[in-house]
Amino acid sequence: MSVMEEVKKCDEGESDRASSNEVASHHANGPDGPWLSGVSTVSIKAASWNIAAINNNPFEYWITNPDPAYNELMKGVQDFIENPECDLVIHSIFTDKMFAELQDEMQSQDISGLAELEQFWIDDYRQRMAIRGFLKDKTIGMKRLSSMPDRITNTINLHDGGRYTRPTAINSYNRGSLDSVDAWWVLWKEFMFHTSVEVSAGGRAPKGPELVCRLISSIPRSKYPAITLEEQAISIPLQILCLAILDAIFVHMLNVVQPRWEDVRRELCDALITNKAPSVCAIIARSYADMDVVFLQEAAA
């Protein structure tokens, strides 16, 4: 169920609402007869709502939206992904020049394994097809080569309570336009290699400011056995490469499908991400004020 549908459902009183649920300390029979005898029955009204607050990708679900531009965009993306004629080789989207610049940025940060990474690029990744060879490749997911760095850098919660978002289509990024792969690439490099962040440590003392690229750690084969020993050895630069390829494909695809996709995303983010907490609180106060207990799942800290 989408977030927007879930919000709508709860606002209409259709959530997992336990109206007049009786949490009764009734005479439960044990081997020695009734226990808790003499205790009065208590009636409690309860509601349960999974608000999925940890998700910051406005395109994760195909939601119910009256805006024709949104539905055109989503259908266009679906058609793009399913049409083999739209598929391009990766090096025509994330170019050899971009890879060389990526190498230079990583070398300036003393990230090791770059010679081996270049071989992976030449022999494998640059020749893959963007959709069927990368986005639809389940082994990349099993190895966590793009999902792991995305989880770490998509939306960074800062020690001061703020947030910092990666220049990508799959969050609420709003510090520049992603109207072309070239424009995105300038912003992405600045974010990954020239932006220091002080990450929230959940109440513990923060480590201090770190470059975003330093937040990415190696992927152990002991935990993710799909990754090879060779990939594990260079998993930090390989993750950075795969994340760059992933973001480049998304930006390319959306700009081909609908040039005003950023306007659509902005509206979605306002409804689902930016103003989500106040909206959830308003719905609870308006529609569930009579509840004794409200259980929330996936509520971000």
Side-chain angles (χ1 to χ4, degrees):
M1 180 183 298
S2 74
V3 173
M4 187 172 285
E5 287 171 333
E6 205 164 283
V7 169
K8 180 175 181 291
K9 181 179 177 183
C10 286
D11 202 20
E12 293 172 348
E14 298 178 13
S15 70
D16 296 330
R17 180 175 183 142
S19 57
S20 299
N21 270 1
E22 289 190 352
V23 180
S25 51
H26 56 280
H27 293 230
N29 289 317
D32 300 320
W35 59 281
L36 295 177
S37 59
V39 179
S40 301
T41 296
V42 177
S43 180
I44 294 177
K45 291 183 177 180
S48 177
W49 187 6
N50 185 326
I51 62 176
I54 59 174
N55 174 38
N56 292 303
N57 179 3
F59 296 120
E60 178 141 351
Y61 307 102
W62 192 329
I63 65 172
T64 300
N65 191 326
D67 184 2
Y70 170 79
N71 294 300
E72 290 171 9
L73 173 62
M74 297 301 284
K75 187 175 187 308
V77 168
Q78 177 176 286
D79 293 343
F80 187 99
I81 289 174
E82 297 302 324
N83 184 358
E85 294 182 3
C86 295
D87 206 357
L88 297 176
V89 67
I90 282 177
H91 71 77
S92 68
I93 300 171
F94 187 80
T95 65
D96 290 324
K97 180 176 180 291
M98 290 176 174
F99 176 78
E101 292 173 358
L102 184 68
Q103 269 193 310
D104 290 343
E105 293 283 8
M106 289 193 280
Q107 187 169 21
S108 69
Q109 299 303 328
D110 295 321
I111 295 175
S112 61
L114 299 185
E116 294 84 353
L117 182 73
E118 183 174 13
Q119 209 57 50
F120 269 91
W121 169 250
I122 294 171
D123 296 342
D124 186 359
Y125 286 95
R126 77 179 296 278
Q127 303 178 54
R128 293 186 180 213
M129 301 304 290
I131 305 299
R132 60 182 181 269
F134 192 88
L135 293 186
K136 291 186 176 183
D137 183 357
K138 294 181 180 180
T139 62
I140 291 177
M142 293 169 62
K143 296 174 182 181
R144 304 299 302 276
L145 290 173
S146 57
S147 60
M148 184 72 78
D150 172 63
R151 187 179 72 178
I152 294 167
T153 65
N154 182 292
T155 303
I156 301 172
N157 294 314
L158 303 175
H159 178 64
D160 63 5
R163 287 182 167 186
Y164 215 86
T165 52
R166 188 176 81 249
T168 181
I170 53 175
N171 62 16
S172 58
Y173 178 80
N174 62 359
R175 295 188 311 279
S177 177
L178 309 180
D179 59 358
S180 70
V181 174
D182 287 339
W184 157 82
W185 182 230
V186 172
L187 297 167
W188 199 93
K189 287 185 296 181
E190 180 67 25
F191 168 82
M192 188 64 67
F193 300 106
H194 303 281
T195 301
S196 293
V197 293
E198 193 167 20
V199 180
S200 172
R204 301 185 302 275
K207 295 180 180 179
E210 295 179 277
L211 290 174
V212 172
C213 63
R214 294 295 179 191
L215 302 178
I216 297 173
S217 56
S218 60
I219 297 177
R221 192 164 187 263
S222 58
K223 188 173 183 179
Y224 302 101
I227 197 167
T228 66
L229 290 173
E230 293 78 13
E231 290 168 332
Q232 177 184 250
I234 61 164
S235 59
I236 290 178
L238 188 55
Q239 286 177 81
I240 294 173
L241 171 61
C242 286
L243 185 63
I245 293 172
L246 179 77
D247 286 341
I249 293 172
F250 284 152
V251 170
H252 162 76
M253 175 172 61
L254 288 165
N255 280 295
V256 169
V257 169
Q258 189 180 105
R260 64 157 296 221
W261 69 271
E262 289 186 278
D263 294 334
V264 175
R265 183 183 66 159
R266 192 174 301 111
E267 294 170 3
L268 289 173
C269 289
D270 287 343
L272 303 179
I273 300 173
T274 308
N275 298 313
K276 183 170 185 174
S279 297
V280 168
C281 291
I283 289 171
I284 292 174
R286 181 172 61 249
S287 301
Y288 298 93
D290 61 331
M291 293 291 105
D292 297 304
V293 181
V294 177
F295 298 96
L296 300 179
Q297 293 83 47
E298 294 191 27

